[in-house]
Amino acid sequence: MSAVLNMLARRQEEESPVLTSFQPVYDENDPWGGNPLEVDVNTTFVGVEFQSVYIAFCSFVVFLIIPGIGFLYGGLARRKSALALLFQSMVVTATITFQWMFWGYSLAYSPSAGPFIGNLEHFVMRGVMSAPSIGSSALPSILFCFYQLLFCACTVQILIGGAFERGRIIPSIIFGFCWATVVYCPIACWTWNPNGWLFNLPSLDFAGGGPVHIASGCSALAYALILGKRKVDGEDGSHKKAHNVTLVFLGTIFIWFGWFGFNGGSTLGMSVRALVVIFNTNAAASAGIIGWVLVDYIKHGGRFSLVGACEGAIAGLVGITPAAGYVDPWISMVIGFITGAVCALLENVDSWLNIDEGMDVFKLHGIGGMVGSFLTGIFATARISMLDGATEVHGGIDGNGIQVAKQLADIASVASYSFVVSCILLLIMKYIPGLHLRISDEAEEAGLDRDQFFGEEIGDAGIFSEIEKRQLPGSSIVGESPANKASSLEETKKD
């Protein structure tokens, strides 16, 4: 029987060689992948089309993270500043799409890049079309470019959370464009470009523990530091509470679903390893919820928090991002639980650092990314990485203890570079006429939405108009005192 099966297998290889051994090859003399007016460029990928279908689908899934972050941030903010965060989720995507097409992709992924940053070989998308990509020869470069564009857009949107409720929108968008150029692209080059110094160290970062999470978290910390704290009434604790828990829940679900494509597509092809990655992603998010909720339950006398559960899921997703393609499913649960619990225990990190970073970007993404990257060095195993048939990596669990030190080098370099460069960039912008980073005190009291938008706000516009009509004379705050405001709302509803 085995002889018959072997004979059939050999015959299948002879009749359909492309299905068993063919891989497209990048031709340096033809960086565009062929002239479509002269040749059919699709023939380059005959037999591996399913890989493009898989990554294209993952790209569409990743896109859902963008509205997810908008919903999450909008729900966590006070209502008077929620619209700005939804708006920025769209404008960041538009701005980063231009940046990535203009020079971002080239700075991160040019084949002739140096160890620290790429060059302008692919400036304005030159040579980015149907040639096999630098990430995987089975993918056209245009698809790989699109997939990585979404990573950059999501990262910048995470970063913008550091400025919520007091940062002007135009400077924040300009900062996002510049940050993507001088922070994200170099770190992505270090980490994922075959010429990058972290890639060749090697440090292990499967889907963005450094470029996405640690970089955005530390940069959001810099943003909050340079902006200063929000102007709030010392007796008013509303600035620390989510105004719409439903939006927080909805945004978390969008992000969780999107992360299946974020991590799952980072194999850059369909394989058993990709399926394990997807499983690990869900397991870590689930364990993150358990870790965070357990801490909350103990700290708050047997009570729960839906916002805490949502933050636990995100912490788990952050922790597994650098490890998803390297660890066993049970270990992914361990990583998610530890990351969720650690982030929950650091509830007062803002007070310790004397900053006002109300979106918890540094806590969830910065610290969570560091925890995940460190644990990757301990638990990575070739038994999982080789499920794609090609990637062999060893962590401490395989006897390669030095990998932990390499992960620490990754964490230290990414965190320090992103924080310092972000501070320098923000300080430069702060003193450029017209680019002052912060809205006025009066505008902050009124709300970012009322200061930066026209004719739109979150909630019933009729109620807000009535409140403005009944504004107390001489009040320095747009609106009324909490007691009067409540009575006005009741009267308006009766009317």
Side-chain angles (χ1 to χ4, degrees):
M1 179 65 71
S2 61
V4 173
L5 292 175
N6 289 336
M7 182 182 69
L8 290 174
R10 285 196 300 271
R11 180 176 298 175
Q12 184 178 10
E13 291 180 7
E14 292 171 359
E15 293 177 352
S16 305
V18 294
L19 297 177
T20 57
S21 60
F22 174 79
Q23 281 291 331
V25 178
Y26 178 76
D27 183 0
E28 294 182 358
N29 298 319
D30 190 9
W32 288 92
N35 184 349
L37 299 177
E38 299 175 355
V39 297
D40 183 0
V41 297
N42 298 284
T43 58
T44 304
F45 302 98
V46 170
V48 291
E49 298 95 336
F50 66 96
Q51 303 289 17
S52 292
V53 172
Y54 174 68
I55 298 302
F57 177 76
C58 286
S59 300
F60 306 150
V61 173
V62 171
F63 189 88
L64 292 176
I65 295 175
I66 294 170
I69 297 174
F71 289 146
L72 175 69
Y73 283 2
L76 287 173
R78 286 178 289 181
R79 182 166 59 180
K80 64 182 182 179
S81 298
L83 184 64
L85 293 159
L86 294 173
F87 175 78
Q88 284 175 296
S89 69
M90 297 192 70
V91 178
V92 163
T93 304
T95 304
I96 296 305
T97 296
F98 171 75
Q99 188 271 352
W100 200 249
M101 293 174 65
F102 187 68
W103 60 22
Y105 177 72
S106 188
L107 292 175
Y109 291 106
S110 53
S112 55
F116 300 105
I117 194 169
N119 51 39
L120 297 181
E121 179 178 347
H122 291 311
F123 180 62
V124 294
M125 300 281 287
R126 186 174 60 231
V128 180
M129 191 58 65
S130 57
S133 72
I134 188 174
S136 169
S137 62
L139 303 176
S141 57
I142 188 69
L143 175 59
F144 178 74
C145 177
F146 176 63
Y147 184 65
Q148 295 301 331
L149 155 65
L150 296 175
F151 274 53
C152 186
C154 290
T155 305
V156 174
Q157 195 176 344
I158 293 169
L159 157 71
I160 294 300
F164 89 117
E165 295 196 344
R166 74 257 198 220
R168 292 177 63 230
I169 290 178
I170 292 298
S172 74
I173 298 302
I174 294 174
F175 172 65
F177 180 95
C178 298
W179 185 89
T181 301
V182 300
V183 177
Y184 180 84
C185 288
I187 295 176
C189 180
W190 302 355
T191 306
W192 292 318
N193 193 302
N195 298 319
W197 74 274
L198 285 176
F199 184 94
N200 291 293
L201 188 58
S203 95
L204 303 179
D205 192 340
F206 180 72
V212 176
H213 296 303
I214 298 176
S216 65
C218 292
S219 296
L221 176 65
Y223 210 161
L225 178 67
I226 299 300
L227 277 177
K229 296 183 178 182
R230 286 171 289 173
K231 308 293 183 184
V232 296
D233 184 343
E235 299 179 358
D236 179 15
S238 66
H239 70 289
K240 295 182 179 180
K241 297 180 180 179
H243 98 271
N244 190 322
V245 178
T246 302
L247 272 183
V248 174
F249 176 80
L250 182 63
T252 301
I253 296 303
F254 270 61
I255 292 169
W256 191 337
F257 183 74
W259 228 262
F260 290 132
F262 197 94
N263 284 353
S266 291
T267 54
L268 298 179
M270 171 52 72
S271 64
V272 175
R273 188 186 185 204
L275 301 177
V276 172
V277 167
I278 294 170
F279 192 97
N280 285 351
T281 300
N282 185 72
S286 302
I289 294 174
I290 295 172
W292 193 296
V293 168
L294 183 61
V295 171
D296 273 354
Y297 188 81
I298 295 171
K299 289 174 63 177
H300 298 283
R303 294 186 175 185
F304 301 105
S305 165
L306 177 58
V307 172
C310 291
E311 290 189 310
I314 293 171
L317 293 170
V318 170
I320 200 59
T321 296
Y326 302 125
V327 300
D328 182 271
W330 276 110
I331 296 298
S332 70
M333 290 282 292
V334 172
I335 292 175
F337 181 86
I338 292 175
T339 307
V342 167
C343 291
L345 288 168
L346 295 175
E347 179 182 6
N348 298 320
V349 67
D350 282 9
S351 299
W352 302 339
L353 297 175
N354 195 30
I355 61 167
D356 181 12
E357 202 276 282
M359 288 297 180
D360 291 337
V361 182
F362 175 65
K363 179 171 66 177
L364 287 174
H365 296 273
I367 296 174
M370 294 177 193
V371 171
S373 184
F374 175 74
L375 294 176
T376 300
I378 297 175
F379 294 117
T381 175
R383 186 169 62 85
I384 298 299
S385 67
M386 280 297 291
L387 288 173
D388 64 2
T391 307
E392 183 176 0
V393 299
H394 300 275
I397 201 171
D398 283 353
N400 182 30
I402 192 65
Q403 188 60 51
V404 178
K406 293 177 180 179
Q407 297 301 112
L408 291 174
D410 183 341
I411 293 168
S413 60
V414 172
S416 58
Y417 178 82
S418 57
F419 180 80
V420 171
V421 175
S422 296
C423 284
I424 294 172
L425 185 57
L426 287 163
L427 287 171
I428 292 173
M429 290 181 59
K430 184 177 181 179
Y431 295 105
I432 295 177
L435 284 184
H436 53 284
L437 303 174
R438 186 165 181 149
I439 59 176
S440 66
D441 291 350
E442 293 78 11
E444 186 177 341
E445 290 173 343
L448 189 61
D449 295 353
R450 191 161 294 182
D451 179 67
Q452 300 278 290
F453 293 86
F454 67 92
E456 294 176 340
E457 53 200 337
I458 300 293
D460 189 334
I463 293 178
F464 286 105
S465 298
E466 188 66 24
I467 290 174
E468 283 187 333
K469 292 178 183 177
R470 303 181 185 186
Q471 180 180 351
L472 294 174
S475 173
S476 62
I477 301 177
V478 176
E480 298 174 286
S481 66
N484 290 339
K485 183 174 181 180
S487 62
S488 295
L489 287 172
E490 290 177 3
E491 292 175 13
T492 303
K493 290 177 180 177
K494 290 178 182 177
D495 294 341

